Every structure is written in C-alpha cells, then in structure tokens.
Amino acid sequence: MAELQKSNKVFGGWNRRYAHKSEELGCTMNFSVFFPPAAESQKVPVVYFLSGLTCTDENVMTKSGIQRKAAEEGVAIIAPDTSPRGLNIPGESDSWDFGVGAGFYLNATQPTWKNWRMYDYITKELPSVLEKFEELDLSNAAIMGHSMGGHGALTLGLRNPQLYKSISAFSPICNPTQVPWGQKAFSGYLGDNQEEWKQYDATELVKAYNGPPRSILIDVGTKDDFLEKQLKPESFAKAAASQGGSSIKLQLRMQEDYDHSYFFISTFVADHLAHHANALKATS
C-alpha cells in the first residue's frame, strides 16, 4: 500500500509523492506521479521517467516542467527513485556513481548488493503497487529517462516490448559495457563475467532485437561533458542501423550547444511526450 506524502496542483492536474515498503528492495521507496486533469474522468496512459545518477523521483517533477505537456496530452508521469535507500550497506555512499542513487536499473547478483534489484522493481513491483490507482491505464505505457535513466529506458524498453509502447532518452549511457560508468557499476553489481553485462547494454540488446516495431527518440547535447567518454550514442545508432528489417525506428538528434543538464531536458521534454502520446493513443 502506497502512502501519500504530499500533493501539489500543477497545470490543472496533481503532482503526488508516495512512499511504500518494497519487498523487492527491502526498504521504503518513494515514487512520484503526475495525474493530468483527464485522470479525473477517465483512465489515462502512463509514461515512466527514469532518472540519472544521484537523482531521486523528484528531480524531473521539480526541474523539467514535464507536467505542462503531460496535462495537454492527457498522460500520467510516473517517476520512481534510482536505488534502494536506508539499508546502510558498507560502501553504499562512498562514490556518487555507485551505490545509493546509482541503481543502474539492473538486478545485482553480487551478495553485498543483493537488494539492488531496480530492474525487477521497475518492471514488476512498482506496476503492482500502481494497480491500486484506478486512474492509470498501466496496460498502455511508455518509458523514457535521462543519462543512467536513459540507459534504463532503452534496456527495459528493448527487453520488455510487451510493457512499453515507445521509448525515448535524454543523454543515455548507450553502451555501458564499453564506458567507465558502466564498467564500474556492472563489475560491482554483476561480477567479472562480462557476458552477463550484455543483458543490460542497449547497444548489445538492439543488435538482437526481434520484437514488435518500436520507435525510439534520443536527444543528446553536443556540449555534453560526458558525450565522448560515457554516452556513446553513435554505437547505439550503428547497432540499430545494422539490426535489419524495420523493427527499430531510431531518431537520434544531436542538439547544438546543449549540455547534460535539466535546462536541456526542459527544452525538449515536450517533444518526447508528443512522441510517446502518438504511440499510446495509437493503441488506446
């Protein structure tokens, strides 16, 4: 059972933050939901937003202005947290890119990090909690994210096409097995078997994708400090192009002079919600 923590009216709808006891993660987790005005009279489709390193469920809700376009399109926004919190695992807060705030949307296999099961939390447990909200049509969902959350959106979306009708990402970590952020996280959470890492690498996943057609929108700023060393969008684009057939329709936009920040996200977030609304309304 999710308990309401706070509620704010915005763009005619309601931004609400909840807490619940997660059996999957073994701790209390927060998540935020924006209910558009349309939710007062009908079930509405949902878009999951996965946040990046060091972020919580509140970053996108307070910094991006995502609610304006969501209200216009009549879609709900669901923003989960980025990792377990409050478990006091030794070393969990030693670095900003591993441990607390850095769940990487995977299921850890190393004993120390056994509670870091954000993949199952997002795809299974959180939807089961959200089923209690009669306003939400969870069968009509899309997924998007930023940075580490962009990695999450791509990997969860590609692995679970039955759950998400469309995918988008801002500044995603596209090829984590080949970059420092991903290598640090994967070796720590998953161990040394690099074949195991590939199940959480979007570039590897898109090569083998054989699901229903999916439209993917990716925006990356040309002045993003992490572009060359950590993000590798060109690797994902190359893999998507070589995938064959017409299953993946990728639109990769390099946005001149934009960086990695929420200034960048807020500029293009309406485009992303329009992208998702088109897919969700086509199947509603």
Side-chain angles (χ1 to χ4, degrees):
M1 175 68 70
E3 296 184 0
L4 180 65
Q5 303 297 298
K6 61 181 179 180
S7 181
N8 301 95
K9 191 162 189 177
V10 55
F11 297 114
W14 290 95
N15 211 93
R16 292 181 171 133
R17 194 182 198 213
Y18 298 89
H20 77 107
K21 177 64 175 179
S22 169
E23 298 300 325
E24 192 68 56
L25 307 181
C27 62
T28 297
M29 292 292 286
N30 293 312
F31 63 90
S32 293
V33 181
F34 171 68
F35 297 91
E40 295 182 4
S41 58
Q42 64 189 57
K43 280 183 173 289
V44 295
V46 303
V47 177
Y48 292 86
F49 187 98
L50 307 185
S51 288
L53 291 165
T54 74
C55 293
T56 71
D57 57 294
E58 292 194 291
N59 288 74
V60 67
M61 297 303 201
T62 59
K63 294 182 178 181
S64 73
I66 196 170
Q67 299 93 335
R68 181 190 293 272
K69 186 64 173 179
E72 178 185 321
E73 295 286 0
V75 299
I77 306 299
I78 298 166
D81 204 348
T82 53
S83 79
R85 295 180 191 269
L87 293 172
N88 298 315
I89 304 300
E92 68 176 16
S93 299
D94 286 356
S95 58
W96 64 274
D97 56 358
F98 185 83
V100 172
F104 270 85
Y105 305 101
L106 50 72
N107 287 338
T109 57
Q110 298 304 291
T112 298
W113 306 102
K114 63 183 180 180
N115 295 88
W116 264 246
R117 297 182 58 81
M118 291 300 293
Y119 181 92
D120 277 0
Y121 176 73
I122 300 296
T123 60
K124 297 177 181 179
E125 186 175 21
L126 183 57
S128 72
V129 173
L130 293 167
E131 286 177 354
K132 307 300 189 297
F133 297 99
E134 296 181 354
E135 305 97 325
L136 305 179
D137 181 4
L138 299 175
S139 68
N140 200 14
I143 192 165
M144 64 188 294
H146 171 231
S147 195
M148 177 186 73
H151 142 77
L154 292 173
T155 55
L156 270 63
L158 289 168
R159 289 181 59 176
N160 300 276
Q162 77 281 7
L163 297 181
Y164 311 110
K165 304 292 178 61
S166 60
I167 305 167
S168 78
F170 292 97
S171 316
I173 306 170
C174 292
N175 199 185
T177 60
Q178 303 303 312
V179 302
W181 276 342
Q183 291 165 353
K184 178 177 180 177
F186 289 2
S187 61
Y189 295 133
L190 303 172
D192 295 331
N193 185 349
Q194 296 188 16
E195 286 300 309
E196 293 293 316
W197 298 5
K198 291 181 179 179
Q199 64 183 309
Y200 299 111
D201 186 311
T203 296
E204 296 292 335
L205 291 171
V206 79
K207 292 177 185 177
Y209 182 79
N210 62 358
R214 281 295 172 264
S215 177
I216 302 176
L217 171 62
I218 296 176
D219 275 325
V220 182
T222 62
K223 294 293 181 66
D224 191 314
D225 289 340
F226 305 112
L227 175 57
E228 293 185 9
K229 188 176 181 180
Q230 303 283 14
L231 306 185
K232 302 292 184 184
E234 70 283 356
S235 297
F236 183 80
K238 182 178 179 181
S242 67
Q243 187 264 351
S246 57
S247 292
I248 299 296
K249 181 181 178 182
L250 173 64
Q251 185 179 12
L252 171 60
R253 308 191 305 186
M254 301 303 299
Q255 303 290 4
E256 192 69 25
D257 291 335
Y258 284 90
D259 56 22
H260 199 76
S261 71
Y262 269 86
F263 294 112
F264 165 54
I265 294 174
S266 63
T267 302
F268 299 104
V269 71
D271 291 354
H272 284 242
L273 285 188
H275 165 81
H276 294 301
N278 286 338
L280 295 171
K281 291 176 181 178
T283 56
S284 62

